[in-house]
């Protein structure tokens, strides 16, 4: 079984290398390397893809994620700021920025991005994380409004229902 995995892996990487002369092919190669935990090679190939096409948003997002995983939040933030300049209303870019600012403990900037997201998003994770941030910032009743806004778009979401119930429980104890 292991030899068939090795054979399939070799075949995959041969295919990816043959297609790596285009930015999207280089992105696919970097993604595969990242999934195989070859982070140095993945970083190198994300950068090459971006050199080929500086507007390739997914390469920038994946590179930012890679930097964040490696603990280099400054490099991650740099990539996300460029991505935001390319596509200011991109929900994924803004969500990653909100999470990264939270991780960097710049809670005011995180709140700015979550607020922007909450105006248009239908993603439960946005409201879940935004509400938790507001609770952390001790924003009185704002978390409740955010949780309820999220439940309007997905009232069956387990995580949002749980965090809303927990919010009410903690407010009454």
């Amino acid at each position: 079984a292991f030899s068939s995995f090795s054979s399939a892996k070799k075949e995959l990487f041969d295919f990816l290398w043959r297609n790596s002369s285009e930015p999207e092919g280089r992105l696919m190669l970097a993604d595969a390397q990242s999934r195989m935990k070859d982070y140095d090679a993945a970083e190198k190939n994300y950068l090459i893809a971006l050199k080929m096409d500086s507007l390739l948003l997914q390469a920038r997002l994946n590179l930012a994620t890679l930097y964040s995983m490696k603990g280099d939040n400054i490099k991650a933030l740099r990539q996300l700021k460029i991505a935001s300049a390319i596509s200011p209303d991109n929900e994924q870019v803004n969500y990653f920025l909100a999470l990264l600012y939270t991780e960097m403990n710049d809670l005011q900037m995180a709140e700015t991005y979550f607020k922007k997201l909450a105006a248009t998003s239908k993603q439960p994770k946005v409201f879940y994380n935004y509400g938790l941030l507001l609770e952390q910032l001790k924003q009185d009743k704002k978390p409740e409004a955010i949780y309820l806004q999220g439940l309007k778009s997905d009232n069956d979401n387990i995580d949002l229902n749980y965090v809303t119930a927990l919010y009410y429980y903690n407010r009454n104890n």
Side-chain angles (χ1 to χ4, degrees):
F2 182 75
S3 71
S4 62
F5 172 75
S6 293
S7 175
K9 180 180 167 188
K10 181 184 179 331
E11 194 174 316
L12 170 67
F13 277 92
D14 286 347
F15 168 79
L16 292 171
W17 274 112
R18 280 194 305 278
N19 291 287
S20 67
S21 61
E22 295 294 322
E24 291 81 5
R26 191 61 69 147
L27 169 62
M28 289 191 312
L29 175 61
D31 286 345
Q33 290 167 326
S34 182
R35 280 192 297 281
M36 300 298 290
K37 298 186 177 9
D38 188 354
Y39 299 126
D40 291 338
E43 177 184 5
K44 177 182 158 214
N45 282 303
Y46 285 132
L47 290 169
I48 291 170
L50 289 168
K51 196 171 247 184
M52 296 170 148
D53 180 357
S54 64
L55 302 178
L56 191 58
L57 203 57
Q58 199 57 53
R60 231 171 255 296
L61 290 171
N62 294 0
L63 181 58
T65 300
L66 179 78
Y67 285 145
S68 180
M69 285 174 19
K70 291 170 75 173
D72 195 340
N73 290 337
I74 300 302
K75 282 185 176 179
L77 184 58
R78 187 176 310 127
Q79 292 301 322
L80 290 174
K81 283 183 174 181
I82 294 169
S84 181
I86 293 167
S87 185
D89 295 323
N90 184 291
E91 187 168 334
Q92 190 177 16
V93 171
N94 288 315
Y95 185 65
F96 282 14
L97 277 163
L99 292 178
L100 185 60
Y101 278 122
T102 302
E103 187 176 320
M104 296 172 75
N105 208 31
D106 187 343
L107 304 184
Q108 295 313 118
M109 283 301 291
E111 183 179 10
T112 299
Y113 281 96
F114 275 123
K115 186 175 186 177
K116 180 178 180 176
L117 285 162
T120 58
S121 181
K122 301 285 184 225
Q123 295 295 321
K125 64 186 179 185
V126 167
F127 300 98
Y128 177 90
N129 285 305
Y130 186 22
L132 288 175
L133 175 68
L134 292 171
E135 283 191 57
Q136 189 176 349
L137 292 170
K138 310 242 183 279
Q139 295 274 335
D140 198 28
K141 294 191 182 267
K142 283 185 182 178
E144 176 183 20
I146 293 301
Y147 294 141
L148 293 176
Q149 184 182 347
L151 286 169
K152 279 183 191 169
S153 61
D154 187 356
N155 67 346
D156 292 329
N157 184 276
I158 293 169
D159 294 329
L160 269 175
N161 276 291
Y162 173 78
V163 78
T164 304
L166 188 60
Y167 171 79
Y168 288 131
Y169 175 80
N170 288 334
R171 295 246 340 161
N172 294 320
N173 285 318

